[in-house]
Amino acid sequence: MGSLEHQVGNTGSKRIAALDTPPPPSRSHAAHHLDLDDQKPGWRKFLAFVGPGFLVSLAYLDPGNLETDLQAGANHGFELLWVVLIGLIFALIIQSLAANLGVSTGKHLSELCKAEYPIIVKYCLWLLAEIAVIAADIPEVIGTAFALNILFKVPVWAGVLFTGFSTLLLLGLQRYGVRKLELLIAVLVFIMAGCFFGEMSYVKPPATGVLKGMFIPKLKGQGATGDAIALLGALVMPHNLFLHSALVLSRKVPNSVRGINEACRYFLIESGLALFVAFLINVAVVSVSGTVCSADNLSQENLDQCNDLNLNSASFLLKNVLGGSSKVVYAIALFASGQSSTITGTYAGQFIMQGFLDIKMRKWLRNLMTRSIAITPSLIVSIIGGSAGAGRLIIIASMILSFELPFALIPLLKFSSSNTKMGPHKNSIYIIVISWILGFGIIGINIYYLSTSFVGWLLHNNLPKVGNVFIGIIVFPLMAIYILSVIYLTTRKDTVVTFIEPEKNDPNVQNHMENGFDQTDGVFELGHVPYREDLADIPLPK
């Protein structure tokens, strides 16, 4: 791919090296191409951009989301639905920013981070991004293990070991028809969604309770803050930002202000549709869990399950709709949920490694490496704590993702709001204000929870004072480093320029450039955003 940085002239400014692009077509061909594009109906143009948003949205329906939704409903009823609403609105904003960044710069987020930051910061961000992929993979490992346990009575620890082989099998099957395979997985995931919608129509959660939970923020009851942070961590995942900014580069976009704006608009619509479906499914899961577990006529067995609800025991929530087959249908859909979100994790890991380190790995090798690391804590916890311990590990993994979010989110917000990165396509002042307020709101909640939880634990644990002092000496500096790192990323000024402003101010030239033409030897030619051949093999519909 070549070096990402080079000096331009003697100005000392840093610019991203342009990728090699094919020679532009002739003027007549260019004009004909534009005419054909203009004659296409809007829905035909839209379909050409469909794919990245829906693939990314699978990560919002993974076992980690289901686990946190189930526990939020069982523990707090409908009171945390507002977290789901804010999380999905924020997810739509930042996913669209990630798509805009890729389309406007021709680079994805990890490549821009590599070019922008000093080498130590670059490697720290890469390591944190890899940890985020691993943390996102833990719920998928445990969810698949739970599914195998329900279907075949396989011990959870044995199911954890088997997940490595199941994912390699899935990746191997892609070569025989990836679109059919992914369609099957999507159908199975939506079967589970249909089950929860059907159950919701049966148990009839009170509309007023659902609406109040969605629009009136509350954090009452023991563990509410922790469950809210876990919900946010499962909804807004850092590796998804790297993934979406790269996936959009598999689409050919005309190199014009109009063409880029149109592509950004279509990607926003697509992401909005996909995340709205994800929002409805998450709300259905929380509502079903909250309604069933707050019922007055619960049996003692179901009451015990609600008090310690996890993915392995949640099939009883669907008995009203599915009866005796609830376990089998639930387990198959849970298996599909884990495996489908594995695909997004594998691609995200590929783009992170390629962008930060300029290293490419075979998909099966990359997945095997990530999965092997994720299996280790899952295996240890499932052996020691059983299914209940594995369920709690999912919540911990979601919290880790929430704490890691600033190290992908802040670079994205800065780059997408920067003249040097985006030129005329940078965020509007309204998006800048809203995204930064939401971003710092989530970061502030994380830091507050991290600080208060640790101090509370120090005050109330049974360790000797010497042990508490020793732990404090280790942990408090780490918390200070975390806060200082967030401040550094927020206040550091960008130095690398990815948008090169046209030098000529001739209105005629500007007008042609607006419509996608570049001037070469006095003839205006159609320009192209650099097409990423290294991303063109992504199995998305074309």
Side-chain angles (χ1 to χ4, degrees):
M1 190 176 70
S3 173
L4 283 176
E5 295 184 10
H6 71 283
Q7 300 292 326
V8 179
N10 296 320
T11 63
S13 65
K14 297 180 181 177
R15 297 190 185 275
I16 299 286
L19 292 166
D20 294 334
T21 55
S26 66
R27 180 180 181 181
S28 60
H29 178 78
H32 179 63
H33 181 78
L34 276 182
D35 289 341
L36 288 178
D37 281 350
D38 289 338
Q39 291 171 4
K40 284 185 180 179
W43 65 270
R44 288 283 301 275
K45 291 182 181 180
F46 172 69
L47 288 179
F49 295 95
V50 169
F54 279 92
L55 188 60
V56 167
S57 71
L58 285 176
Y60 294 88
L61 301 171
D62 72 341
N65 282 98
L66 299 178
E67 174 82 15
T68 53
D69 288 345
L70 290 168
Q71 293 205 6
N75 297 336
H76 310 284
F78 314 117
E79 288 187 358
L80 293 184
L81 280 174
W82 65 273
V83 179
V84 178
L85 177 63
I86 289 179
L88 267 299
I89 291 174
F90 187 52
L92 174 60
I93 292 173
I94 62 172
Q95 294 298 160
S96 64
L97 295 186
N100 294 353
L101 184 71
V103 169
S104 302
T105 63
K107 299 280 184 180
H108 52 83
L109 181 57
S110 55
E111 291 176 323
L112 292 171
C113 287
K114 176 187 176 183
E116 178 63 48
Y117 294 111
I119 187 166
I120 296 177
V121 178
K122 176 187 76 173
Y123 281 115
C124 287
L125 290 176
W126 166 73
L127 185 61
L128 290 168
E130 294 286 1
I131 292 172
V133 173
I134 294 165
D137 206 39
I138 287 174
E140 292 152 17
V141 168
I142 296 174
T144 304
F146 282 164
L148 296 173
N149 176 259
I150 296 169
L151 286 171
F152 307 111
K153 307 300 181 186
V154 176
V156 175
W157 65 267
V160 167
L161 286 176
F162 181 76
T163 55
F165 298 103
S166 67
T167 305
L168 291 177
L169 178 64
L170 184 76
L171 291 171
L173 290 174
Q174 287 189 23
R175 68 179 64 185
Y176 300 107
V178 67
R179 290 180 181 84
K180 294 178 182 177
L181 186 64
E182 291 186 345
L183 179 62
L184 173 64
I185 290 171
V187 167
L188 291 174
V189 170
F190 282 103
I191 285 174
M192 180 165 61
C195 294
F196 277 99
F197 284 128
E199 181 70 18
M200 190 166 67
S201 67
Y202 184 91
V203 299
K204 293 182 173 61
T208 54
V210 172
L211 291 174
K212 283 182 180 179
M214 201 175 295
F215 296 106
I216 301 177
K218 287 183 181 178
L219 283 176
K220 292 182 179 179
Q222 185 178 4
T225 306
D227 286 345
I229 287 177
L231 266 178
L232 280 175
L235 286 169
V236 186
M237 292 177 279
H239 71 285
N240 256 3
L241 306 184
F242 295 103
L243 175 65
H244 205 174
S245 64
L247 289 176
V248 296
L249 294 175
S250 64
R251 296 296 187 265
K252 291 182 178 179
V253 177
N255 188 21
S256 65
V257 173
R258 185 179 66 179
I260 291 174
N261 286 341
E262 193 172 63
C264 291
R265 183 170 65 252
Y266 286 143
F267 282 130
L268 173 63
I269 295 170
E270 184 219 13
S271 299
L273 292 174
L275 290 177
F276 181 68
V277 173
F279 170 72
L280 293 179
I281 295 173
N282 280 278
V283 168
V285 175
V286 175
S287 300
V288 167
S289 175
T291 306
V292 172
C293 289
S294 62
D296 297 327
N297 57 348
L298 268 184
S299 66
Q300 186 59 43
E301 180 187 359
N302 287 349
L303 183 61
D304 292 338
Q305 288 175 317
C306 281
N307 289 334
D308 191 19
L309 189 63
N310 58 52
L311 288 176
N312 204 26
S313 61
S315 59
F316 80 93
L317 296 172
L318 304 176
K319 279 185 180 177
N320 291 320
V321 172
L322 300 174
S325 61
S326 61
K327 279 195 172 185
V328 174
V329 176
Y330 172 80
I332 291 173
L334 181 58
F335 182 85
S337 172
Q339 295 303 296
S340 60
S341 47
T342 293
I343 295 175
T344 63
T346 301
Y347 282 128
Q350 286 278 68
F351 298 137
I352 287 168
M353 183 168 285
Q354 175 260 326
F356 279 107
L357 306 181
D358 204 15
I359 296 175
K360 296 179 185 177
M361 296 177 68
R362 294 181 182 274
K363 290 186 182 71
W364 68 267
L365 185 60
R366 166 74 214 188
N367 182 268
L368 182 62
M369 182 185 74
T370 303
R371 182 52 55 97
S372 298
I373 299 172
I375 280 175
T376 304
S378 306
L379 183 63
I380 294 171
V381 171
S382 60
I383 291 174
I384 296 173
S387 60
R392 282 192 288 272
L393 183 60
I394 292 179
I395 302 295
I396 293 171
S398 297
M399 292 177 70
I400 291 172
L401 287 171
S402 191
F403 289 127
E404 285 226 8
L405 182 62
F407 301 105
L409 176 61
I410 292 175
L412 173 65
L413 293 180
K414 290 198 70 177
F415 295 164
S416 61
S417 304
S418 169
N419 271 321
T420 61
K421 295 288 186 295
M422 303 282 285
H425 308 289
K426 72 172 186 175
N427 297 335
S428 69
I429 186 64
Y430 302 106
I431 295 297
I432 291 173
V433 171
I434 292 171
S435 58
W436 278 101
I437 288 175
L438 286 172
F440 272 110
I442 292 174
I443 293 168
I445 291 171
N446 288 344
I447 293 175
Y448 170 79
Y449 180 77
L450 179 69
S451 307
T452 56
S453 298
F454 178 67
V455 171
W457 179 81
L458 277 182
L459 294 175
H460 298 104
N461 66 39
N462 296 321
L463 293 175
K465 288 185 177 180
V466 176
N468 283 334
V469 171
F470 182 72
I471 292 172
I473 290 173
I474 295 174
V475 174
F476 279 118
L478 292 177
M479 292 170 62
I481 290 172
Y482 179 89
I483 295 171
L484 290 173
S485 300
V486 170
I487 294 172
Y488 167 79
L489 290 176
T490 305
T491 58
R492 182 184 182 277
K493 187 177 180 180
D494 290 355
T495 57
V496 176
V497 179
T498 58
F499 174 75
I500 302 176
E501 192 172 356
E503 294 180 1
K504 295 184 179 181
N505 294 319
D506 184 349
N508 190 37
V509 174
Q510 293 284 359
N511 181 55
H512 280 78
M513 292 189 68
E514 287 280 323
N515 288 287
F517 291 95
D518 298 325
Q519 189 175 21
T520 306
D521 297 329
V523 179
F524 291 102
E525 305 287 0
L526 182 67
H528 299 276
V529 166
Y531 180 55
R532 299 297 298 272
E533 295 293 343
D534 57 328
L535 306 180
D537 65 339
I538 296 172
L540 299 172
K542 297 191 177 180

